Amino acid sequence: MNEERVRISSGDHVAEVALVRASKHNALDGEMFESITEAARRLSSEPGIRAVVIHGEGPSFCSGIDVGWLAGAQTNGFAERAHDRDGFGANIFQRVATAWIEVPVPVIAAIHGNCFGGGLQIALGADIRISSPDAKLSVREVHWGLVPDMGISATLPRLVPLDAAKELTFTGRIVSGEEADRCGLVTRVADDPLSSARELAREIAGRSPDAVRAAKKLFESTWPTSGSAGLELETELQIPLLGSPNQMAAVMAGVGNEPAEFTDPAGG
């Protein structure tokens, strides 16, 4: 992982992933693609991590694809790697978004400044998005004569109706954080989204990591579908939790109105 593109820090069971190409508004080039994906892969198995916050340093979260780099990618062989897919079915461009879905703990994106194209699709890969009211968000690809192809088909349909998704995609228009909140692109707005994301991550980290991981797995496996498969998975995930050390710790903490001491799952 190139620390001139992405930097990871952690403490108190919370990991932070910072996009650090600030001079380019954290635009996505080859090294950024690889570093973001490597960060997600690393945190998927990092021991003791219970929540992740991803944010951009400088004036923006991520302004999308580096168009100058993209032109060169057609000749340097990087674009050809779009045909190489992982077990999730994602190629190297899509993994910057889908890799966060696969992280077993909650991922919170703190959005400010520009969040365009691939940057928006990275944010959509997070479980929760907190945006500044004046952030600028856009499904920007049509502006460059392209379709959004970084995992949006796995994320946007969960958040907005089909006609809204089409309108945003067909026009590439820029919406504010406030409008994004109203239409469902983001979870909520905050004047200081990074501080709010950190506060939420700390709250989640204080819950049973077994229960939180199981809840994420449940929703990722069933949402927005319903029926017998979802009901069966609820039971399958619940049975190992009942009477487990972390579940008992949660009960005792609730009864005693004191913080719980949880044991993190083996292997992260």
Side-chain angles (χ1 to χ4, degrees), residues 60-264:
S60 294
F61 176 78
C62 176
S63 60
I65 197 78
D66 183 327
V67 178
W69 170 84
L70 181 62
Q74 304 298 320
T75 59
N76 65 18
F78 195 95
E80 295 177 2
R81 297 169 65 183
H83 299 291
D84 298 331
R85 299 189 175 274
D86 61 12
F88 193 75
N91 63 33
I92 192 167
F93 297 102
Q94 295 162 335
R95 281 197 289 274
V96 293
T98 62
W100 301 109
I101 300 173
E102 297 178 87
V103 172
V105 302
V107 178
I108 306 163
I111 301 169
H112 74 290
N114 295 340
C115 184
F116 294 164
L120 176 59
Q121 290 176 80
I122 291 170
L124 294 176
D127 299 285
I128 296 165
R129 285 155 298 285
I130 302 176
S131 173
S132 65
D134 59 352
K136 298 178 180 180
L137 299 86
S138 173
V139 184
R140 197 66 175 159
E141 284 77 6
V142 72
H143 184 75
W144 305 110
L146 300 170
V147 296
D149 66 340
M150 296 182 192
I152 200 168
S153 61
T155 56
L156 192 60
R158 296 179 171 189
L159 303 176
V160 303
L162 178 59
D163 58 341
K166 288 179 176 178
E167 189 258 348
L168 291 169
T169 304
F170 295 165
T171 64
R173 73 180 182 89
I174 297 171
V175 301
S176 68
E178 290 183 332
E179 182 177 354
D181 181 31
R182 292 194 297 270
C183 74
L185 275 179
V186 302
T187 312
R188 57 184 168 91
V189 295
D191 290 334
D192 187 342
L194 181 54
S195 292
S196 295
R198 287 168 170 163
E199 181 180 357
L200 178 58
R202 287 193 296 269
E203 180 179 356
I204 292 170
R207 305 300 184 185
S208 167
D210 294 335
V212 172
R213 285 168 176 249
K216 178 168 179 174
K217 181 177 181 180
L218 173 65
F219 288 142
E220 291 299 339
S221 300
T222 61
W223 200 282
T225 61
S226 61
S228 62
L231 297 175
E232 291 173 7
L233 184 58
E234 289 179 19
T235 303
E236 178 184 329
L237 293 169
Q238 185 76 297
I239 288 174
L241 298 179
L242 292 171
S244 67
N246 278 343
Q247 197 259 328
M248 296 306 297
V251 171
M252 296 302 294
V255 171
N257 197 27
E258 295 180 353
E261 294 290 335
F262 294 117
T263 301
D264 289 291

Side-chain angles (χ1 to χ4, degrees), residues 3-18:
E3 292 194 357
E4 293 182 357
R5 294 292 187 270
V6 175
R7 185 172 60 248
I8 296 176
S9 59
S10 61
D12 298 326
H13 301 288
V14 174
E16 287 195 14
V17 177

